[in-house]
């Protein structure tokens, strides 16, 4: 355990940030799973609605610094491609 006051504060701050990042990553994964589930059922309308929500959640995660912008772009691209492949 740290003895220095600033080190103790860093531990607390890092714990808080880790919890926030974990919650954001979890919400992104959930949004992605909803899109993939709709694609698996070949429900184009539901997939498009889920995609819109997922893009929003992913973009917010990127703006908060949880994901790199290229990672965000790759996730959105793959989801869009999956939704567009439904006939």
């Amino acid at each position: 355990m740290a003895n220095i006051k600033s080190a103790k504060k860093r531990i607390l701050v890092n714990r808080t940030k880790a919890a926030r990042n974990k919650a954001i990553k979890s919400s992104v994964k959930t949004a992605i799973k909803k899109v993939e589930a709709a694609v698996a059922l070949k429900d184009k309308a539901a997939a498009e609605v889920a995609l819109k929500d997922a893009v929003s959640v992913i973009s917010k995660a990127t703006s908060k610094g949880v994901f790199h912008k290229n990672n965000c772009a790759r996730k959105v691209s793959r989801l869009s491609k999956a939704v567009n492949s439904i006939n």
Side-chain angles (χ1 to χ4, degrees):
M1 185 64 196
N3 290 324
I4 298 168
K5 187 176 182 182
S6 61
K8 289 179 182 177
K9 182 178 178 182
R10 290 303 331 150
I11 290 169
L12 294 174
V13 170
N14 287 338
R15 216 177 269 164
T16 304
K17 286 184 177 181
R20 174 178 163 267
N21 289 347
K22 188 174 182 181
I24 292 170
K25 284 182 181 181
S26 176
S27 66
V28 168
K29 287 179 188 176
T30 303
I32 289 172
K33 285 178 187 173
K34 286 181 182 176
V35 175
E36 290 172 347
V39 169
L41 295 173
K42 297 192 186 287
D43 186 355
K44 183 124 179 145
E48 287 175 346
V49 171
L51 175 65
K52 186 178 177 189
D53 293 338
V55 169
S56 174
V57 171
I58 293 169
S59 298
K60 286 178 186 174
T62 303
S63 68
K64 292 175 182 176
V66 178
F67 289 115
H68 189 274
K69 64 178 183 144
N70 291 356
N71 189 347
C72 167
R74 185 178 68 241
K75 287 179 189 298
V76 170
S77 176
R78 286 179 180 173
L79 291 175
S80 299
K81 185 178 177 184
V83 171
N84 289 336
S85 70
I86 300 173
N87 291 328

